[in-house]
Amino acid sequence: MPNVNPKATYEPCPPQRVAFIGLGVMGWPMAAHLALAGHDVTVYNRTAAKADALVRALAERGVARVRTAPTPRAAAQGAGFVMACVGNDDDLRSVVLGPDGALAGMAPDAVLVDHTTASAEVARELYAAAQAQGAHFIDAPVSGGQAGAENGMLTVMCGGDEAPFERARPVIAAYARAVTRIGASGAGQLAKMVNQICIAGLVQGLAEAIAFGQRAGLDMKLVLDVIGKGAAQSWQMDNRGKTMVDDRFDFGFAVDWMRKDLALCLQEARRNGARLPVTALVDQFYADVQAMGGGRWDTSSLIRRLR
Ligand SMILES: NC(=O)c1ccc[n+]([C@@H]2O[C@H](COP(=O)([O-])OP(=O)(O)OC[C@H]3O[C@@H](n4cnc5c(N)ncnc54)[C@H](OP(=O)(O)O)[C@@H]3O)[C@@H](O)[C@H]2O)c1
């Protein structure tokens, strides 16, 4: 069960009726923060036991404004905002479209905010589907990982129309430290792709550097402390460098998820003509890690290939 660390202060926001669909590693704490911030929350999860467990966990903290619903449609009924955080494009379509999907229950003018890391294409498709019934869709992938979700400190990159974004922003703020509209529908997903392209090459560089230093017989934790105060510093170096030295990967952001994200980047690059040679290579390195049984290891496990 994910931890949830209530924030010292939540941004003031009038209580809203909010639905949350998908209570995984990320969605569970995000939904919990909405309830802790004072919103009236209805949750749906495919595996219903998880939704029941969240309601119980919040009740133990004295938060009673949370209930479960049997379908995404039922969860969305009467909600001003519907949040989703599921796995990939197809998972997202399955909870949003169709007779039991969230859109079928949404009132005109309600806003669907999707935190799944998905394609820009599905974002535009669902934006159009929402618009056709007078509702709104914001693509809003996140960065900050499990710890960011548990601490309510995610960075949220959004695409969609300005007015519904402005309405949703203070609600999203319950689990975020930054919520920014990047542009039109799909722009949030494209920004997340930029984020993942930055990370892929950087983690491979860090892996090569640490493996090189260890072969050279250096005290690599000392080296990381020293160079981490200079131009080589990065979030990955600060947060993953020492666990890479220790060869520990049983936490963090899974290689399977990274491969899904890099596939989205490579697919988008084929469409827009961008060249991603390093990203494509690192994607294949991650395939090697999967073949080593590391699909659930943290992405810093790239160094295992070099040992
Ligand atoms: N974990 C991270 O550090 C991280 C960081 C940034 C972004 N993300 C992105 O956030 C999204 C969720 O990640 P996560 O780590 O929370 O994943 P997760 O723990 O595997 O949870 C996935 C959630 O989606 C639900 N789901 C999946 N397929 C579904 C379907 N077809 N129909 C209905 N529900 C479905 C699952 O329901 P069940 O409980 O029934 O399986 C579960 O609630 C992914 O797109 C991921 O790339 C993750």
Side-chain angles (χ1 to χ4, degrees):
M1 202 178 290
N3 286 316
V4 179
N5 307 315
K7 294 205 226 181
T9 48
Y10 287 92
E11 182 177 315
C13 174
Q16 305 289 333
R17 285 188 65 177
V18 187
F20 206 107
I21 297 165
L23 305 173
V25 166
M26 301 297 283
W28 170 298
M30 292 158 90
H33 279 295
L34 286 168
L36 290 163
H39 298 297
D40 186 333
V41 182
T42 303
V43 294
Y44 164 81
N45 197 62
R46 178 178 58 182
T47 307
K50 262 195 225 171
D52 295 335
L54 175 64
V55 171
R56 274 199 307 277
L58 285 166
E60 279 165 21
R61 291 179 180 221
V63 181
R65 293 171 308 273
V66 192
R67 67 189 75 78
T68 65
T71 61
R73 175 190 178 144
Q77 272 162 352
F81 300 90
V82 180
M83 295 9 201
C85 189
V86 293
N88 60 27
D89 283 21
D90 287 341
D91 301 331
L92 182 60
R93 286 192 184 94
S94 79
V95 296
V96 171
L97 302 173
D100 281 333
L103 273 180
M106 279 172 64
D109 223 30
V111 185
L112 175 47
V113 178
D114 174 41
H115 296 299
T116 310
T117 302
S119 66
E121 219 175 357
V122 77
R124 294 182 197 116
E125 174 190 326
L126 298 181
Y127 170 89
Q131 212 175 34
Q133 63 176 64
H136 309 279
F137 180 86
I138 306 284
D139 49 296
V142 301
S143 148
Q146 183 173 352
E150 292 178 350
N151 295 323
M153 297 295 277
L154 293 167
T155 295
V156 189
M157 302 153 246
C158 300
D161 295 340
E162 209 158 342
F165 166 77
E166 287 301 337
R167 279 166 48 210
R169 200 201 56 75
V171 182
I172 302 170
Y175 42 77
R177 70 166 157 203
V179 186
T180 308
R181 180 179 172 272
I182 306 288
S185 180
Q189 294 297 352
L190 293 171
K192 173 75 182 181
M193 292 176 208
V194 172
N195 186 78
Q196 300 307 70
I197 293 166
C198 290
I199 289 173
L202 195 148
V203 176
Q204 175 62 16
L206 189 59
E208 290 181 16
I210 292 172
F212 169 90
Q214 287 184 310
R215 276 186 197 262
L218 295 175
D219 175 347
M220 275 312 293
K221 289 191 182 173
L222 177 62
V223 173
L224 290 173
D225 279 341
V226 173
I227 67 173
K229 295 184 182 64
Q233 185 273 343
S234 66
W235 184 96
Q236 298 290 339
M237 183 179 281
D238 289 351
N239 292 281
R240 296 291 185 264
K242 290 183 181 164
T243 44
M244 288 164 87
V245 172
D246 288 339
D247 205 46
R248 286 205 294 114
F249 308 109
D250 54 344
F251 61 91
F253 184 61
V255 166
D256 287 344
W257 280 139
M258 188 58 163
R259 283 218 77 206
K260 170 193 66 122
D261 294 1
L262 294 180
L264 293 170
C265 300
L266 294 168
Q267 204 176 15
E268 188 64 38
R270 276 193 289 279
R271 243 190 308 272
N272 72 16
R275 292 187 302 156
L276 301 177
V278 172
T279 306
L281 189 62
V282 174
D283 178 54
Q284 289 311 301
F285 294 164
Y286 278 124
D288 295 344
V289 177
Q290 285 176 316
M292 294 162 72
R296 303 300 298 175
W297 297 344
D298 181 67
T299 44
S300 55
S301 57
L302 273 179
I303 196 169
R304 277 263 168 101
R305 291 181 61 260
L306 306 174
R307 293 200 155 123

